[in-house]
Amino acid sequence: MFKVAVIGGSGLLGRALNEELARQVGWQIVTTAFSRPSLQLVALDVRDSFAVERFIEHVAPDAVVIAAAERRPDVCERDPALARALNVDAVRTIARAANRNGAWTLSISTDYVFDGTRPPYRHDSTPRPLNAYGQSKLEGERALIETADLGCVLRLPLLYGPIVNWSESAVTSLVPAIAASAAPDGQTATMDAWAIRYPTFTPDVAVVIRQMLERHGRGETISGIVQWSGNEPMNKYEIAVRLAAALQLNAHLTPQRAPTDSTRRPHNCHLTSSRLEALGIGRRTPFDVAIGQVLAKLPWRGSASPVGSDSSRPRG
């Protein structure tokens, strides 16, 4: 029996990972959640070091995947202590507990560890984060590498996938404004056309992680830093145009050619995926196909309009 602990399994990536790993014969998956525990998810606050240590000791996993994080750049700027607690200290605590059980630890990081001025970025390129989020994730990478006897960092760019509310991803968070602009009395929606992103489908990432876990199970453990990314560059304006087409909305959109975010963000952090590709690891679903799958699986599909469905559903 190969046992995997998924820390932070109720979020955007965690849910896709649970679904992928649950298909594996002979694997036992134990998943935690903070804001949305359930009968299938163990309640765990990763900021509670004693609770983390008890959980790891009780489960005794062969591998631990850390999907819990504070991923919102604006929140990290306002509350750097929270960002550090979730993105740095928790990683160190989990890695230390995993060491005592001989488990491999995989920690998720971000393309925002780079400043976006000299893409594409390799796994061994020099990080230079522009904001508190990127800095906290870089420090989390270092905490993992310094602490884990068996550890790996997986850097990922902008993620999207099956959602429980529009705001779960910066991709689908554009939908309410797109839909509002398509209303009979709607105003034109301005969308960022400056920052270049590489939207990456969470079920594809889940396959990548499953393949990495399989290698660990065979004794071919991957260590250090690896990266995975979609291969279709687009800005938010271009994403919005494709979302409008998928939703069959006659949206009124206009591009904003200069950065306007209150928190500084990088221009283009394209990640190379060459290290994983060389190992035969990876899957990429075309954006238009993947976003069609996301929209087809909306939990409120048919019961509410795109504008009325962002709502107050809990975050992962």
Side-chain angles (χ1 to χ4, degrees):
M1 180 67 70
F2 185 62
K3 189 179 291 188
V4 181
V6 177
I7 310 294
S10 67
L12 184 70
L13 176 58
R15 294 194 308 274
L17 184 58
N18 289 335
E19 185 173 335
E20 177 67 27
L21 299 187
R23 301 190 186 104
Q24 308 311 304
V25 177
W27 289 28
Q28 180 181 354
I29 314 304
V30 183
T31 305
T32 77
F34 173 61
S35 62
R36 287 181 286 194
S38 67
L39 292 177
Q40 293 77 36
L41 303 177
V42 178
L44 181 68
D45 184 347
V46 295
R47 296 168 295 184
D48 184 339
S49 59
F50 294 107
V52 169
E53 290 167 3
R54 288 194 301 269
F55 170 77
I56 298 292
E57 182 177 358
H58 174 72
V59 174
D62 298 292
V64 180
V65 180
I66 308 173
E70 178 48 69
R71 60 173 179 77
R72 296 166 293 179
D74 294 339
V75 172
C76 291
E77 290 294 325
R78 293 194 303 267
D79 194 347
L82 175 65
R84 181 170 186 83
L86 291 173
N87 296 346
V88 185
D89 298 338
V91 172
R92 183 178 289 107
T93 298
I94 294 166
R96 188 179 296 122
N99 282 349
R100 286 196 285 271
N101 289 270
W104 179 64
T105 306
L106 176 65
S107 182
I108 305 301
S109 190
T110 175
D111 57 345
Y112 273 28
V113 299
F114 298 112
D115 64 8
T117 61
R118 304 181 72 178
Y121 292 96
R122 290 170 40 88
H123 65 278
D124 55 358
S125 296
T126 301
R128 191 173 290 109
L130 294 180
N131 55 39
Y133 169 61
Q135 183 63 38
S136 70
K137 294 300 285 184
L138 176 58
E139 291 177 17
E141 290 184 5
R142 291 169 175 165
L144 188 283
I145 298 300
E146 292 168 0
T147 306
D149 295 335
L150 295 171
C152 184
V153 169
L154 172 60
R155 290 180 183 144
L156 301 170
L158 171 67
L159 297 180
Y160 71 101
I163 55 173
V164 297
N165 62 56
W166 294 122
S167 64
E168 267 203 306
S169 165
V171 169
T172 53
S173 68
L174 304 177
V175 169
I178 294 169
S181 78
D185 58 348
Q187 301 295 312
T188 298
T190 300
M191 298 287 174
D192 177 75
W194 176 78
I196 299 171
R197 312 299 296 275
Y198 286 78
T200 301
F201 194 37
T202 52
D204 289 347
V205 177
V207 168
V208 167
I209 294 173
R210 187 255 298 164
Q211 292 171 328
M212 295 176 71
L213 288 164
E214 287 173 337
R215 290 186 69 93
H216 175 63
R218 297 195 302 266
E220 301 171 4
T221 302
I222 301 171
S223 61
I225 296 173
V226 295
Q227 302 178 153
W228 186 255
S229 173
N231 59 359
E232 298 175 77
M234 60 189 87
N235 55 50
K236 283 190 176 181
Y237 171 76
E238 292 166 333
I239 292 171
V241 169
R242 294 168 80 161
L243 278 168
L247 290 162
Q248 298 182 321
L249 292 173
N250 184 24
H252 298 91
L253 308 171
T254 187
Q256 170 64 49
R257 303 294 182 184
T260 59
D261 291 303
S262 58
T263 299
R264 193 179 179 196
R265 285 164 166 78
H267 174 58
N268 181 355
C269 288
H270 182 205
L271 301 174
T272 65
S273 307
S274 54
R275 190 175 175 210
L276 289 177
E277 288 170 337
L279 297 173
I281 289 174
R283 189 186 79 177
R284 291 186 178 96
T285 304
F287 180 83
D288 291 334
V289 173
I291 204 64
Q293 293 176 15
V294 170
L295 297 174
K297 293 181 179 179
L298 294 178
W300 59 89
R301 187 173 178 84
S303 62
S305 71
V307 176
S309 304
D310 184 46
S311 79
S312 54
R313 297 169 191 267
R315 300 180 66 90

